[in-house]
Amino acid sequence: MATGIRDKVAILGMGCSRFGERWDCGPEDLMLEAFNEAVADAGIDFKQIEAAWFGVCLEENNVGKTAGPLAQALRLPRIAATRVENACATGTEALRGAAYAVASGAYDIVLALGVEKLKDTGYGGLPVRTRGVANDLWLPNSTAPGAFAQLASAYAAKHGAPMADLKRAMAHISVKSHANAALNPKAHLRNKISEEDVLKAMTIAAPLGLYDCSGVSDGSACAILTTPEIARALRPDAQLVTIKALEVSVSNGEEASFSNWDGAHIATARTAGARAYAAAGITEPRRQLQMAEVHDCFSIAEAVTMEDLGFSAPGRVIHDVLDGVFDREGALPIGTDGGLKCFGHPIGASGLRMVYEVYLQLQGRAGERQLKHVDLGLTENLGGHPHQNVCAVSIIGRHGA
């Protein structure tokens, strides 16, 4: 009988590059920036790493299709290395592969690393290339802003919410993200903005404006994983951080092909969240979690996710957002590092970047943005469009919490 991975895998060390327009760096430089921090944090020799999982999504851009670029950049000693990809959830997919390997007993110390180098492509957004006839058939001329704009319209229609109120809530989310990022030296965008700035900005895909959309950046993040027993032996004085749950849900075509999806929620987020809560023993997420990092590719994505993950009651997220529930000083802080909104979205790195923030908060090492008390945190990493996607949810916490 399956028993899950709760408290079977410890995060021994983590690292994260500075995200941004890193014209001075190649992907190898970004990988090393994150990796060197993680190795120093773990307090190990890199030759103790026995296997690696490498997350990169758009392999045609600068990096390559295999895990070879990872092994070469880090000079790994000819260990097993596997490249993984699962759309925008690629970073969490790398973490999942590494975590399951430790939980199974196959390895003692492993690496999960994600990277993406996007700015050199010259695209203003994510590079768009054909991915075969099936993708071209289902998504002709589709854009991410357009797809998530439809999510906003559907949400407002389903719950009878005035669009002006929804736009105010989305603006509050963006202002919050920028305020948090201003305290984070690794964020891409560190400028504070006002609600007026958001509401008066140019429209990208109605009702989404410029400040409702995350940007594109270069970046890398990584984690070194082991067993709790080994982690205690190697770092006896450190706060032991373990994985409580790591669940993935993938659309089966129902939302894209049939009429019983209302267009106002992310079905996979509800499924992955419910599975993660069951695995971690969480019955009241809004009360039991102290923070979350969610896939805020657009402000409406963060808002809807609050309901899908049970942080807000159905139809109530506008009120909770405007009441400050998810602000850094609120009852359940969301995106304390600035989120995708201010880090940008180097696809292979984003999921691990989220875990990095939870890890720092759990250890009391988040600097000016440190929360008063954190026992459990959640990350939600979404890839694709609202109607066709993959969603990964992880719950990270103090060992035994």
Side-chain angles (χ1 to χ4, degrees):
M1 181 177 179
T3 58
I5 62 170
R6 184 176 181 182
D7 285 336
K8 295 179 180 178
V9 181
I11 300 177
L12 184 61
M14 290 200 74
C16 182
S17 76
R18 181 176 60 82
F19 281 38
E21 297 182 336
R22 301 294 302 272
W23 306 113
D24 59 326
C25 293
E28 300 83 4
D29 301 294
L30 296 172
M31 286 188 261
L32 279 167
E33 194 173 317
F35 178 70
N36 287 339
E37 180 186 352
V39 170
D41 184 37
I44 63 170
D45 187 303
F46 79 98
K47 293 181 181 179
Q48 292 176 260
I49 297 170
E50 301 169 331
W53 277 259
F54 180 42
V56 59
C57 183
L58 299 176
E59 75 284 348
E60 301 91 342
N61 300 311
N62 304 312
V63 179
K65 290 183 177 295
T66 73
L70 174 76
Q72 294 160 27
L74 307 185
R75 292 294 188 264
L76 298 177
R78 299 186 181 88
I79 61 175
T82 303
R83 182 217 163 204
V84 299
E85 183 268 318
N86 216 346
C88 299
T90 292
T92 309
E93 193 63 64
L95 181 70
R96 186 169 72 116
Y100 284 13
V102 170
S104 73
Y107 300 103
D108 286 333
I109 301 177
V110 301
L111 171 73
L113 185 145
V115 69
E116 213 79 47
K117 190 74 172 70
L118 295 176
K119 298 306 296 186
D120 296 354
T121 66
Y123 278 80
L126 296 180
V128 178
R129 291 185 173 93
T130 181
R131 292 191 175 184
V133 293
N135 198 73
D136 289 349
L137 174 66
W138 284 100
L139 298 172
N141 301 315
S142 176
T143 69
F148 282 88
Q150 290 179 316
L151 180 68
S153 298
Y155 180 89
K158 177 181 178 180
H159 296 290
M163 186 55 72
D165 291 347
L166 181 57
K167 284 180 67 67
R168 280 186 59 228
M170 292 192 299
H172 187 100
I173 287 171
S174 296
V175 171
K176 166 186 67 69
S177 297
H178 278 260
N180 291 340
L183 303 176
N184 193 336
K186 294 192 175 184
H188 184 172
L189 303 176
R190 301 189 62 199
N191 57 312
K192 293 184 178 181
I193 60 174
S194 68
E195 183 176 309
E196 183 180 16
D197 291 331
V198 181
L199 294 176
K200 288 186 175 181
M202 64 180 292
T203 298
I204 301 299
L208 304 183
L210 177 65
Y211 290 106
D212 292 308
C213 309
S214 68
V216 171
S217 65
D218 304 325
S220 179
C222 72
I224 296 173
L225 308 181
T226 188
T227 66
E229 294 75 20
I230 293 173
R232 281 198 196 94
L234 291 173
R235 298 183 62 190
D237 298 327
Q239 171 62 57
L240 189 58
V241 174
T242 54
I243 297 174
K244 310 295 181 179
L246 215 173
E247 297 288 337
V248 172
S249 175
V250 181
S251 296
N252 65 359
E254 181 177 316
E255 304 100 303
S257 307
F258 302 98
S259 61
N260 57 350
W261 177 58
D262 60 18
H265 72 279
I266 307 295
T268 55
R270 294 184 178 186
T271 301
R275 290 174 182 163
Y277 293 151
I282 292 176
T283 55
E284 299 177 68
R286 179 158 163 170
R287 181 182 65 82
Q288 290 173 269
L289 294 167
Q290 286 79 50
M291 67 171 297
E293 291 283 318
V294 301
H295 201 94
D296 58 320
C297 49
F298 300 92
S299 54
I300 187 60
E302 178 170 329
V304 169
T305 298
M306 297 303 95
E307 295 188 11
D308 291 335
L309 294 177
F311 300 161
S312 287
R316 294 294 302 174
V317 73
I318 291 175
H319 304 281
D320 286 343
V321 166
L322 294 177
D323 287 343
V325 171
F326 307 121
D327 293 355
R328 190 161 47 86
E329 301 298 331
L332 180 56
I334 305 295
T336 53
D337 63 352
L340 274 77
K341 175 66 187 73
C342 293
F343 266 80
H345 181 31
I347 306 173
S350 289
L352 282 159
R353 186 269 304 160
M354 296 178 190
V355 175
Y356 177 75
E357 175 66 9
V358 176
Y359 173 76
L360 291 180
Q361 291 283 354
L362 285 163
Q363 294 196 328
R365 297 164 50 199
E368 292 182 82
R369 62 188 187 281
Q370 179 64 48
L371 302 175
K372 291 180 180 178
H373 179 77
V374 181
D375 282 329
L376 290 170
L378 173 146
T379 72
E380 180 260 349
N381 191 197
L382 183 74
H385 289 177
H387 68 280
Q388 194 171 22
N389 58 70
V390 52
C391 184
V393 173
S394 66
I395 297 175
I396 314 294
R398 298 175 186 269
H399 188 58

